[in-house]
Amino acid sequence: MRLIKALAALLVSMGLLAGIPALLWFFAGNPIPSWGETVAAFTGPDVGGVFLTATVLPLIGWVAWASFAIGFVLEIPNQLPARAERGSRSRPRRKVRVAGFGVQQKAAGVLIGAIIAIGAPAGAFAAEEPSTQVPAVQQVAVTAEETSQDVAEQTQVAEPVYEEREALTDRTVQPGDTLWNIAEDELGSGERFGEIAAASADVVQADGQRLTDPDLIQPGWTVKVPHVERVEVSAPASVPEESPAPAENPAPVVEAPAEESAGGAGGGAVAQEEAQSAQEEQSQSAGRASQSGAEGSVAAGEVESVDESESWGVFNVATLGGIGGVLAAGLLGLLGWRRVMQRRRRKPGQRMALPETLGELELEMRAVEDPGGQEHLDTVLRHFALWAQSSGSPVSVPPMVRIDAAEVSLYFTEGAVQLPEPFVAASEDGLVWSMTRATIPPLEDVPSAPMPALIALGRDENDGSIYVDLEQVGALNIVSEREDLRISSLSALAIELAVNSWSEDVRVLMVGSAANVPGSLGTGRIEQVEDVDTLMRNLRVQAAAAEQVLAEMGVDSPEQARLLNDDAEGWAPEVIVLTEPLEEEVMTELGELVARIPRIGIAAIANGHLAGDWTFTLEDEASAALAIPAWGVSIPVIPQLVTSAEAQQLEDIFDTATNHEATGDEAPAEISIEQIPTLAPDTDAYLTEVRATDSDVLPADDEQGSTAAETVAAEPIAETTEAVTAAADVVGLNDDELYIRVLGTPKVVGARGSLPMDEKNAKASRHAMKYGTELAALLALSDGLSSHELSAAMWPGLVTEGKKANSRRNGLVSKLRHWLGTNEEGQEYLPKKIDLYRIAARTDWDVFCDLAGEDVHQASNEQLVAALELVQGQPISGIADKRYVWADTVRQTMICKIGDVAHEVAARALESGDPRRARHAASVGLTVDPISEVHWRNAMRAEYQIGDNEGVERLITQLEDHLTSVDEGYEPDAETQALIDELHNRSTRLAA
């Protein structure tokens, strides 16, 4: 239908623009009369109406045609897609409007929009009728700085009779309408289109879409037009002259479902809690002034705002350098496992090699990462692979994929398909299919990745990530007048291929040394090519072999071979990354290889033009365009880049996590089986009690989820309760005094002030309490923070200075100060800032360190047991994604220290013949650090000391399951395996 309408519009346009003048000329000829004919017409009668029909009427026709033609030409630039500006929403360009041509431009707009749609993917441009398609894009969360709002100025009300308030009226979009002409009609100026866009952004239209791009509106939609109305009041409005009110309808915040995890991406046991509460509304009644006061000394010049409309928890969707959420998740996932492996290799008593504080790039990546997006994209691609395999015949492969906060979409350029549910057709021609991220089902079978060479170029105007499949493209030409932009783009693409979960066996061959690719990534997928002659020889041989096999299989590409036969070997693609030009002869041959049809599993990304028409043109850090030959269009993209400075930071981060081992003296050697004392016969009653009270310590094999927290969940040791309480009182930790819990889910305990309230429902604001708790933990775990340091930690990647940053920071600080209250002497727990922000509160981590001391071997049993009692889970766990991004270094330090204490307590208990305490200490160690096998060994020794062989075997099975969940093929380390073998030998001898 879209194609039929577009062709009809093209024919109508050709008829109006070319057909009418041709007919006028054919029937009337030259309508301009000679001087004699003009004189005769005005001095004598028009016999037979010759002058009227041959001159006047044709002239009227020519004028009408010229009027439409001019309006048509004027409307062409208005219908072309606008380019996005980096770091902000897409705003429409200023529309071309000429007085007297409004009707003509509206009519032309309908025709031009339909014609342009011939070469565009379905849903990309405005249609003649309301669309019923699934929306192709959906706006994700944006920061307050990025939100485009026109705010009405507030003035003092002179008389206490009326006040002016903002109101909204509805207007239905007609064919040919634009926000510019609606603003002209309704508000008197087309330049006020932004007010309508902002007011209409959260309106769900009849077809399920929202207004996310002011350039693209659909006939039949309803837009909100703001206006000011006078309302009678009983008292004068108290509005300061310089207090602007937020827009009535701020731009919507749409977030992906939050998965709350412990420790961020790839770094330890996952602790689930309830999904984060919905984002609190941002707007307040117009005319309401925010309460403000001085923050610190007058010299500091900071004004504290408690405006509830400030959004504290919204982050950018890409780092300042342009690394998107999915790539950030891939990098952080890899980094997380490197640090986990560091911890696994660490011996008790040693210190991990960690940065003192997280660098700005890591903070930004943690703030923007989308681990769910990486998993969702990978899963959707494999669902497509399963369907393709079940079809039994070659199918089309989408060369482009798009993912945003709501859905994953596959874009085919030919060969309409019919994908099964939960795929949904997003275009009438069967070329675009989407799957909502919230409804992606798990895979019943896990096939090979069907598109291992899929890479992200950047984001479109609506923050959707645009991916292209290099195998389908053949050659991707990176073009720019700036060398640094070309190299930064090539670097980002190569790094993606190195860390993407779906790029399983891709081999990336780097030709040239210009790219900024950290060697410390160490994924084994990237190779540096020095001998180009050998490379070309190998590629020729591979090409010939691939063509022969493809011909025998009757398929057109390695992708189709993989889709038809998941067991097919030898189809891992090779991607050549040309960072520098080669000799002309080599470039020509390589261009022919990657452009072969059918494809042969060789693709290239080139610095400049190599072959084909898939070209990525970079204008600057914020603007690029992807030419899509099959559609004949070029779409605007905000490019994903990795600069040389960012590449160096990544090199340093991964080098520390990969190549630097733990340092310091190891703890004494672990107790051997021979050293474990045999329990006396009169301890049978005690052992019975141990087994009865700790029956849930070792779950049965068929229980789901043998995570560390479920595997070992021992109760506190009753006989040490008094010692624990006494030791805790010594260091001053009790619920009557303020402290911040971080050894588990963070919590403010003992606050004496008033809870931050949500004025709209007169209830405590969970939103303010969550971010206030994070700020309290940040301050309590630091020695003081400047304004810049506080903002950079809480809101990585956002501006840390200026009015917006100060308002966001000071509003949160003020709410936290009022919540914490004052101590017995009337002093504020969160004093006004003088030089640095500081908090007069301790954490349970401070108490833990006081009890354990610098050397855990010197602490008493009571102190160490009391320290373990403070641990309620993995440190800083049970938190929402993208929160506490600053805490990774301190979290790793906490895990190591808690593990050392747990090991020391377990070793002492085993040596003294107290298996119950040993079991409890091992359970705490495994809850906090299940990858450290010393705690598994201590748990096995405790079961051996009790005489519970079945308990030993359950632990061995659970350890094997745990290692398999970490990575298939993982085996116990040498010390653990030696203990297992010895326990099995002793059990066999006893049985004999």
Side-chain angles (χ1 to χ4, degrees), residues 78-292:
N78 295 344
Q79 294 296 322
L80 296 177
R83 180 182 301 155
E85 294 181 4
R86 182 166 180 78
S88 64
R89 286 177 186 254
S90 167
R91 292 193 61 175
R93 67 177 69 82
R94 179 164 181 161
K95 298 295 186 181
V96 178
R97 295 296 178 202
V98 178
F101 290 91
V103 175
Q104 296 93 320
Q105 286 189 252
K106 287 183 179 180
V110 176
L111 296 172
I112 296 170
I115 294 170
I116 292 176
I118 293 178
F125 299 101
E128 183 179 7
E129 299 176 358
S131 171
T132 59
Q133 299 172 6
V134 176
V137 294
Q138 189 168 3
Q139 188 78 25
V140 299
V142 295
T143 67
E145 286 80 6
E146 295 170 332
T147 304
S148 174
Q149 299 180 354
D150 290 303
V151 182
E153 294 185 358
Q154 301 296 316
T155 58
Q156 288 281 31
V157 179
E159 299 293 335
V161 180
Y162 295 96
E163 72 174 11
E164 294 184 346
R165 295 180 181 175
E166 289 186 352
L168 299 172
T169 56
D170 293 345
R171 170 160 169 169
T172 302
V173 177
Q174 302 298 322
D177 269 349
T178 66
L179 288 187
W180 184 279
N181 76 265
I182 294 175
E184 281 183 332
D185 296 342
E186 302 287 350
L187 303 178
S189 172
E191 294 182 349
R192 298 180 64 185
F193 69 86
E195 297 176 41
I196 302 176
S200 308
D202 60 350
V203 177
V204 179
Q205 304 296 337
D207 58 5
Q209 302 191 56
R210 294 177 185 263
L211 174 57
T212 57
D213 185 344
D215 259 350
L216 305 178
I217 59 175
Q218 296 278 9
W221 281 12
T222 298
V223 295
K224 300 288 187 179
V225 180
H227 65 277
V228 178
E229 62 182 15
R230 287 170 58 83
V231 180
E232 184 175 356
V233 294
S234 58
S238 175
V239 181
E241 292 184 2
E242 298 182 359
S243 298
E248 179 75 12
N249 289 279
V253 175
V254 182
E255 296 181 343
E259 296 180 4
E260 302 193 351
S261 62
V270 176
Q272 297 293 340
E273 67 171 13
E274 294 181 0
Q276 185 180 9
S277 60
Q279 182 81 20
E280 294 186 3
E281 295 179 2
Q282 296 184 12
S283 62
Q284 290 191 28
S285 302
R288 185 186 302 264
S290 62
Q291 303 295 323
S292 61

Side-chain angles (χ1 to χ4, degrees), residues 1-9 114 117-119 428-429:
M1 289 300 297
R2 176 169 61 87
L3 181 61
I4 293 173
K5 292 176 183 178
L7 292 175
I118 293 178
E428 296 176 353
D429 53 17

Side-chain angles (χ1 to χ4, degrees), residues 24-44:
L24 287 172
W25 188 269
F26 178 80
F27 287 108
N30 183 4
I32 302 176
S34 65
W35 176 251
E37 291 172 333
T38 303
V39 172
F42 284 98
T43 58

